[in-house]
Each structure stands twice: as structure tokens, then as C-alpha cells.
Amino acid sequence: MRYAYALTGALLLGGTAASLTLQNPANAQSAQNEPGMINAAAPRAGAPMSFADMVQKLQPAVVNISTKQTITVQQNANPFAGTPFGDLFGQFGFGGGQGGQGGAPVKREGASLGSGFIISPDGYIVTNSHVISAGARGATVDSITVTLQDKKEYVAKLIGRDPTSDLAVLKITAPSALPYVKFGDSTRARVGDWVVAIGQPFGLGGTVTAGIVSAVHRSTGGGPFDTFIQTDAAINQGNSGGPMFNLNGDVIGINSQIYSQSGGNIGIGFAIPATEAKPIIDTLMKGGSIKRGYLGVGIQPVSDDIAAALGLPKDQGEIVGRVEPAGPGARAGLRPGDVVTRVNGTAVTPDKTLSYLIANTAPGSTAKLDVIRDGRPLSVNATVGTRPSEDQLATTGGEDGPDGIPDEDGSSSAQGPSAIGLSVLPLTPQIRQSVGVDSTVQGVVIAQVDPTSDAAQKVKRGDVITAVNAAPVRSAADVARAVGAAKAAGRPQVLLNVTRGRQGGGYVPVKIR
């Protein structure tokens, strides 16, 4: 499991991000990491250097960030309400509700803790969005306090935040110019480079850890836009939002997540690359909102099994599983089963996914998509839309173990176990309602899965198959024909387009027996 922590230890995941290089106004204080300000910027040949001189310069620009929150909690119901003992037991934490209803809600205080760093002498501060966000349902953030290394405290104003990239910008007002640091070029970071992380773990004050870059362009699977610098430098609770420096003293990352099964550091931490954060921070500082490109399609990687089912080379693009009706992708003519291999000439890879490339395409602009459809290449021009908020995109899934699907008792039209180990039924209105799929979905519903088949590990009763190897299916005979054609062509498996409830479509490769 992957965790990113404020002091509360809540699960906090980040997304993409980027950096901002600020222009220094005339006669302003110099940045703490100006060239020439830090001695011994590189290790001696054959041995690592001491980080002491560098840290001494940089640490004053790293701050502690804390919030005060109000949490509204629903009281437990008072089982003695309406009896002579009702008032007595109400004193012990029970509400005044009747029966199973809870009592009046109560308000409690909460807090969170994290790190940040000053990026301008007039007090602009970068941190993670999750550091200054409410950490629990029903909670609101009342105030944000920034504490400098010299223990001076300031009330911070939230300038802007972007939950998708997990970035936020704060502002404090101090009587004099503040120490600050600048962003560097994170694209030049190489695996094996030394890095230093400074933060406020556990509220202990400034803490420094060192390590190396373990990986670049690392995706943690937390979202379609995440791409991180991975490091083995210790990152713990409270490090969220703190800076990661290279040996030149440049900020090349913003510490955001850790990978841990216990909640503690195990040497796998993730930082938002500085060059990814640049346009986001710049926009937030100007009071703007972040707009990302959007196609309105559901996608998944082309795995080895999917490639084999479609007769495609491995690791080539991503496959479209669902096309939102009237969305940008639908208007451009994209279809389920299309494999998108390039966006404006850039290859779609695990490091640069289709979602990532489209998100970084300006809404309203045209994206040229290289597509493989039914084994043939073609080009599709799509006018990119504006990505809705994460709340708007959220959908509810269908119920597990749906009821209302006829069993195989001889009265149904289900076929016996096929060459892929599935029995299917036509998708009637009654079954559609039972499995919770949208009225626009057409296909067959899985009535039974042979537990000895490959399909048993991938699909279940109640799933709806809309296509087999891109051929739409409306009956068991359609499924049998598509499977037979794949078998005759010497393919070891078929690709099922499967919809489960309202989660949308996805592709599942299933071996032919």
C-alpha cells in the first residue's frame, strides 16, 4: 500500500506537479541557494561530501505548517431516551435521539502538521494540498500557522490549492525579507544522484535526511497524472510538502508520498518533480485555477495478454475501454477497442500515459491521436475538452453478487460453459436493473463462470460483456462466433470488453481452452 502522511497519518496521495522560478526584484535579498552562496557544491572524487554547509544555508527557508480544524461528529443514539434514565445517560456521551437515530452533532478540535518552503522574500510558501486540507469527514480548516526555524509564527493565507497535483500555495506577511529558495531543473536528475530532504517530521523541528535518486518518472498508480522522483532518503510523517534538494542546493522535488505497509519509512519515498510543478504553482500564485485537458474515455494499458489477444506488439499504447457519450473522444470518432499509440507525435508509454499527455494539452486545442483500430493504423483529430473536477468524475460501482440473474435451470437461454469457460444471457431490462448498468450499455450478462477456467480469475457473475475482440455481442451465439474466429486465427486468447455496474468498461484478456 502507498501512504502519504500529514501528522494524522491519513492516506494521502498525490498526483502530478511542477515548479516555478521566481524573478528576483531589484535590490531584493538574495536567495539562500544563489550560485556561489554554497561551498563545495559537489562531492570530492571518490567520496561523498558533508552536507553541513549546504544545509546551514537552506534550512532557514524550510517551515513547519500546522492547521487547526473543527470536526463535526454525530453522537451515538441514547438507548434510554424517553425514559427516566435518559438525562443521566445523556451525560455519558449518548445523544438525545430516539431508537437508532443519533443525537445532536458535537464539534471537536483537530489538527494536522506538515512542512513547506518559502519561495520568495515576500513570503510565498509551497506545500502539499493535503497538508492544509481537512483530514476527516465533517472537518473544516479554521486557521493555518507557519513556524520558521527561529520559532517565529505567522498566520498564513491560502492563495490556492490543486488537489489533483497535491500542491498548495500559502502567503505570510513578515516585517522583513524572508529567506527563500529557488526551483531547479528536475529533468536533469539522474538515478544515483545525491539528494537531501529537509522537513518537519513528527513536529520535532528541522530534520535533514540524505539519499539518492532511486528512479525518475515513477508512477505510483494513485492517479492518471502522477509522475514522481523516487528516493531512498528517509521521508516520514510531517515531511509532506518539504523540499528535496540536489547538491547545488536547487529544489528539484516536493516530498509528497511514501510507500509503506506499516506507516513508517522503508526507504521508498516520492517527490513531485519541480519542473512538473512550475506551471501549477505559477497559476496558483496569480489566483488562477488549474485547467487540464480531457477526452472523456476510459483507458487501460495494453498488457502482454491484451496484445496477444489483439495480435499487437507488446507495450504499444493504451486501449480505449469506454467512450463517454457526447464527450470529446466520442465527437472525434474514438471507439471502444481503439488503441491510442501517440498524442501529437509523443508515444503513449507507461511513463507518459494517454491521460497524462491529454491532461497536459490545453483545453480547446486539437490533439492528433495515432490509433490502431481492427489492426489498421489511422489518425484521429480530437478537440480537447476541460477535465471536470474529481468529485464530478467520481462514479458509484454496481453491487457485488447481483441478484435477479436467472440460474441455469434449463428455462433460461444461457449457453453451457464455452471455450472460455463462461455462460451468458441476453441483457434484459430486468437483468440490466439488477446488475446496475447504464441503459446505454448493450451486451450479454455472465450467468456462470467455470471455476477451472482462466476467466474465473478475471470476471464474475453479473459482469456484462459488450464486445469480444472489438466485435459487439448481443447473444451467446455472438460470443461463440467471436471466440471461434480467434481460435481459427491461432490466437491463444480473446479480449472481452467488460462493464461492471457503473464503473464503465474495461478490457479483460481471457485464454481459450
Side-chain angles (χ1 to χ4, degrees), residues 2 9-10 23 56 74 116 123 172 194 237 256 272 280 302 325 394-395 397:
R2 296 170 295 107
Q23 299 299 321
Q56 185 178 10
Q74 185 70 38
I172 61 174
W194 280 101
Q237 296 181 19
S256 178
I272 301 167
I280 297 174
V302 177
T395 58

Side-chain angles (χ1 to χ4, degrees), residues 350-372:
D351 290 340
K352 292 186 176 181
T353 63
L354 178 59
S355 291
Y356 177 83
L357 293 173
I358 292 296
N360 286 279
T361 302
S365 63
T366 300
K368 178 185 176 183
L369 310 178
D370 290 351
V371 173
I372 296 176

Side-chain angles (χ1 to χ4, degrees), residues 169-377:
V169 175
L170 309 177
K171 177 73 166 61
I172 61 174
T173 301
S176 59
L178 293 166
Y180 71 100
V181 291
K182 300 189 303 182
F183 286 97
D185 184 0
S186 61
T187 63
R188 301 180 65 180
R190 300 186 303 163
V191 174
D193 282 349
W194 280 101
V195 289
V196 174
I198 303 180
Q200 301 276 358
F202 309 108
L204 297 175
T207 302
V208 181
T209 56
I212 63 169
V213 173
S214 303
V216 294
H217 305 300
R218 177 71 79 205
S219 174
T220 63
F225 314 116
D226 61 346
T227 174
F228 296 98
I229 299 173
Q230 182 183 325
T231 180
D232 67 346
I235 297 176
N236 293 289
Q237 296 181 19
N239 268 118
S240 293
M244 173 190 288
F245 296 98
N246 62 17
L247 292 195
N248 293 322
D250 297 323
V251 179
I252 63 168
I254 303 164
N255 300 323
S256 178
Q257 300 183 16
I258 65 172
Y259 177 91
S260 175
Q261 295 178 327
S262 63
N265 170 66
I266 60 171
I268 303 178
F270 302 96
I272 301 167
T275 47
E276 292 289 328
K278 183 181 188 316
I280 297 174
I281 295 173
D282 195 9
T283 300
L284 294 177
M285 287 182 66
K286 295 176 182 178
S289 60
I290 308 303
K291 298 185 183 300
R292 296 180 170 87
Y294 181 66
L295 271 184
V297 298
I299 56 175
Q300 66 186 86
V302 177
S303 65
D304 291 352
D305 287 345
I306 291 177
L310 295 179
L312 295 176
K314 298 179 181 179
D315 303 320
Q316 182 169 327
E318 292 185 317
I319 189 168
V320 176
R322 173 183 56 85
V323 179
E324 177 185 303
R331 290 194 296 269
L334 286 176
R335 304 175 186 173
D338 285 348
V339 177
V340 182
T341 59
R342 289 182 177 273
V343 176
N344 290 331
T346 301
V348 176
T349 67
D351 290 340
K352 292 186 176 181
T353 63
L354 178 59
S355 291
Y356 177 83
L357 293 173
I358 292 296
N360 286 279
T361 302
S365 63
T366 300
K368 178 185 176 183
L369 310 178
D370 290 351
V371 173
I372 296 176
R373 178 180 296 167
D374 298 329
R376 296 185 297 274

